[in-house]
Amino acid sequence: MEGEPTRIIVAVNESTIKGYPHASISSRGAFEWSVQKIIRSNTSGFKLLFLHVQVPDEDGFDDMDSIYASPEDFRRMQHRDKVRGLHLLEYFVNRCHEIGVACEAWIKKGDPKEVICREVQRVQPDLLVVGSRGLGPFQRVFVGTVSEFCVKHAECPVITIKRRADETPEDPVDD
Amino acid sequence: MEGEPTRIIVAVNESTIKGYPHASISSRGAFEWSVQKIIRSNTSGFKLLFLHVQVPDEDGFDDMDSIYASPEDFRRMQHRDKVRGLHLLEYFVNRCHEIGVACEAWIKKGDPKEVICREVQRVQPDLLVVGSRGLGPFQRVFVGTVSEFCVKHAECPVITIKRRADETPEDPVDD
């Protein structure tokens, strides 16, 4: 009756705040918003596709095209303990398993805004969700915004989820 | 278990193509996309709020603040047969009744992009959905785009649904 699930790419990145890899505030916000406001109790109606784009030379990871779809897939990779991107994706895949939503997650290297749009073209999701720090125009000049680029150029509908004011860190450029 | 429904404002307007009032291609596209991709079978999890902004002096309608929530509400108004905006909203309210999704619909007068953002501020929906003709940069200079303004200024997440290429009328500025 429901047909194919709605496929949502959620673009996620790491926090800039601490040394240990963990999801940025805006990535977590975008994910939790999608679960609470869109998926709600209809967990079988959706599939979440987590895309993490690593800027080249960030680390030595070179196994970019594997797909990780369960916690087990990650345990096999645990010996690669420097792989920060996997920890990031593991967080979201684990959350999906808790909630009961189907998911996939993968890593690409490159310029995030361009890779996200290229992956949208390749994967053809129904929707792209991107978190945003919600910076003002002055700050945007220096840090650029991936979300604005995707809203303009991605070949599917895009939702930008702005970080909540009460979650903004001391330096709003941090995330 | 599900709590409050997700409240989505769908901004709708009339077609520019024929003399008789009916929903624009991009309004219908934005609505149908929301039903198929977001609401899906979870009809009790969502409430659709249809906002139609009429440009002043378009007609003599001056009863702007009523709320219409069922087909009956419209039948009482049938004698105002010049009220084009009601026909437009009736279309969407009837569709919601067919599908079984709760809805409300109302009309405001003013500059659509500014009124939509003001209504978002007032109503505080979870999401705003706006249709777009998907015009190129050259055409946008002349017609402006409500969707771009809302993406920048609305105080809630916004999805822009571009009109499908196979639904573009002969003159793409038409809708």
Side-chain angles (χ1 to χ4, degrees):
Chain A
M1 162 193 171
E2 271 262 283
E4 288 297 303
T6 296
R7 294 159 68 241
I8 304 178
I9 288 188
V10 183
V12 296
N13 61 358
E14 289 176 50
S15 178
T16 61
I17 298 173
K18 292 174 195 163
Y20 188 79
H22 60 298
S24 67
I25 299 169
S26 58
S27 294
R28 275 183 284 126
F31 167 73
E32 296 296 342
W33 185 92
S34 303
V35 170
Q36 286 168 33
K37 299 300 184 182
I38 302 291
I39 297 176
R40 301 182 58 98
S41 65
N42 186 11
T43 48
S44 63
F46 294 86
K47 181 167 191 178
L48 292 180
L49 311 171
F50 296 100
L51 168 60
H52 172 47
V53 184
Q54 288 185 323
V55 178
D57 302 317
E58 205 172 56
D59 57 43
F61 192 52
D62 57 9
D63 187 7
M64 289 294 137
D65 290 304
S66 312
I67 284 178
Y68 309 94
S70 78
E72 284 68 41
D73 292 343
F74 288 98
R75 280 195 270 278
R76 273 180 231 119
M77 309 289 290
Q78 286 291 357
H79 64 281
R80 301 187 168 197
D81 57 2
K82 283 158 70 186
V83 180
R84 302 158 51 101
L86 280 184
H87 285 287
L88 174 67
L89 295 182
E90 186 175 20
Y91 169 81
F92 290 105
V93 170
N94 282 341
R95 284 285 290 124
C96 282
H97 272 254
E98 286 165 26
I99 299 162
V101 179
C103 69
E104 285 180 15
W106 69 101
I107 296 172
K108 290 278 176 186
K109 266 197 201 301
D111 178 351
K113 62 185 188 302
E114 285 168 17
V115 173
I116 292 169
C117 291
R118 203 181 62 213
E119 289 295 279
V120 163
Q121 203 164 30
R122 183 178 71 81
V123 172
Q124 302 203 294
D126 297 301
L127 183 62
L128 168 66
V129 177
V130 188
S132 153
R133 286 167 290 191
L135 300 177
F138 181 75
Q139 292 158 325
R140 276 207 301 268
V141 171
F142 296 102
V143 302
T145 80
V146 170
S147 59
E148 283 183 14
F149 185 93
C150 292
V151 165
K152 274 199 186 135
H153 298 287
E155 290 180 3
C156 76
V158 180
I159 310 187
T160 300
I161 304 299
K162 285 197 191 115
R163 197 168 55 187
R164 282 171 23 214
D166 62 356
E167 290 190 331
T168 303
E170 211 168 312
D171 179 349
V173 173
D174 267 336
D175 189 30
Chain B
M1 164 191 168
E2 273 262 283
E4 287 299 301
T6 296
R7 294 159 68 241
I8 304 178
I9 288 189
V10 183
V12 297
N13 62 359
E14 289 177 48
S15 179
T16 61
I17 298 174
K18 291 173 196 164
Y20 188 78
H22 60 298
S24 68
I25 299 168
S26 58
S27 294
R28 276 183 283 127
F31 167 73
E32 296 296 341
W33 185 92
S34 303
V35 170
Q36 286 168 33
K37 300 299 185 184
I38 302 291
I39 298 176
R40 300 183 58 100
S41 65
N42 187 10
T43 49
S44 63
F46 294 86
K47 182 167 190 177
L48 293 180
L49 311 172
F50 297 100
L51 168 60
H52 173 46
V53 184
Q54 288 185 324
V55 179
D57 302 317
E58 206 173 55
D59 57 43
F61 192 51
D62 58 9
D63 187 8
M64 288 295 136
D65 290 303
S66 311
I67 284 181
Y68 309 94
S70 78
E72 285 66 41
D73 291 345
F74 287 98
R75 280 195 269 278
R76 272 180 232 119
M77 308 290 289
Q78 285 293 356
H79 65 282
R80 301 190 168 194
D81 57 2
K82 282 158 72 185
V83 180
R84 301 159 52 101
L86 280 184
H87 285 287
L88 174 68
L89 294 182
E90 186 175 21
Y91 169 81
F92 290 105
V93 170
N94 281 340
R95 285 285 289 125
C96 282
H97 272 253
E98 285 165 25
I99 298 162
V101 179
C103 68
E104 285 180 12
W106 70 102
I107 296 172
K108 289 278 176 186
K109 268 199 202 296
D111 179 351
K113 62 184 187 302
E114 284 167 17
V115 173
I116 292 168
C117 291
R118 203 180 62 213
E119 289 295 279
V120 163
Q121 204 164 31
R122 184 178 70 82
V123 172
Q124 302 201 294
D126 297 300
L127 184 62
L128 168 65
V129 177
V130 189
S132 153
R133 286 167 291 191
L135 301 177
F138 181 75
Q139 292 157 326
R140 278 207 301 267
V141 172
F142 296 101
V143 301
T145 80
V146 171
S147 59
E148 282 183 15
F149 185 92
C150 292
V151 165
K152 276 201 185 132
H153 299 287
E155 290 180 4
C156 77
V158 180
I159 309 186
T160 299
I161 305 298
K162 284 196 191 117
R163 196 168 57 187
R164 283 172 23 214
D166 62 356
E167 290 190 331
T168 303
E170 212 168 311
D171 180 348
V173 173
D174 267 337
D175 189 30

